[in-house]
Amino acid sequence: MSNYTKTGKADGARTELHDKLGLTGAEISVNTLPAGASVPFVHAHKENEEIYFIISGKGKAVVDGEAIVLSEGDWIRIAPQGKRQFFASPDSPMSYICIQVKAGSLTEYTAADAIV
């Protein structure tokens, strides 16, 4: 059995990598909203925080009623209880990666977790 899993380029408006990569500690999705479009619902989470990276384009996130302007290269972290919805700018599609992980679960990282 291999110690890695590889998948190809994301296709379509949303690609979830949980099943494609056999993820056990996170959910990662690659998303594209056409110009003027939005995620069709407001949502929060019970346990998971979400980290978003804007790959290209521009738009906004509305978190607990506050609009946050987003553009290529921006990162945003949203706590589980934050009610969120994403919108692409009327004149630009917006592509982004969403990483979803259990809040408070990170105990070690980078060099502290390495076995040399």
Side-chain angles (χ1 to χ4, degrees):
M1 177 176 224
S2 179
N3 284 324
Y4 70 90
T5 306
K6 179 184 176 190
T7 190
K9 180 181 172 191
D11 291 322
R14 179 174 172 87
T15 301
E16 294 181 351
L17 298 176
H18 179 265
D19 291 335
K20 289 182 180 232
L21 293 175
L23 301 176
T24 64
E27 169 61 294
I28 301 172
S29 62
V30 182
N31 306 269
T32 299
L33 290 172
S38 67
V39 172
F41 54 87
V42 176
H43 75 286
H45 288 278
K46 295 175 186 173
E47 297 185 33
N48 296 339
E49 64 187 6
E50 289 181 323
I51 303 100
Y52 296 86
F53 175 69
I54 309 306
I55 300 167
S56 64
K58 58 185 177 176
K60 68 180 177 181
V62 177
V63 181
D64 296 332
E66 180 181 345
I68 300 111
V69 175
L70 299 170
S71 61
E72 182 176 325
D74 285 345
W75 288 90
I76 182 171
R77 178 229 175 232
I78 303 174
Q81 63 275 15
K83 293 182 176 136
R84 68 208 74 179
Q85 187 176 18
F86 283 76
F87 299 82
S89 174
D91 62 348
S92 171
M94 184 170 70
S95 295
Y96 58 93
I97 295 171
C98 176
I99 304 165
Q100 188 179 140
V101 295
K102 185 174 180 180
S105 66
L106 184 63
T107 58
E108 296 188 38
Y109 52 95
T110 60
D113 190 49
I115 300 171
V116 182

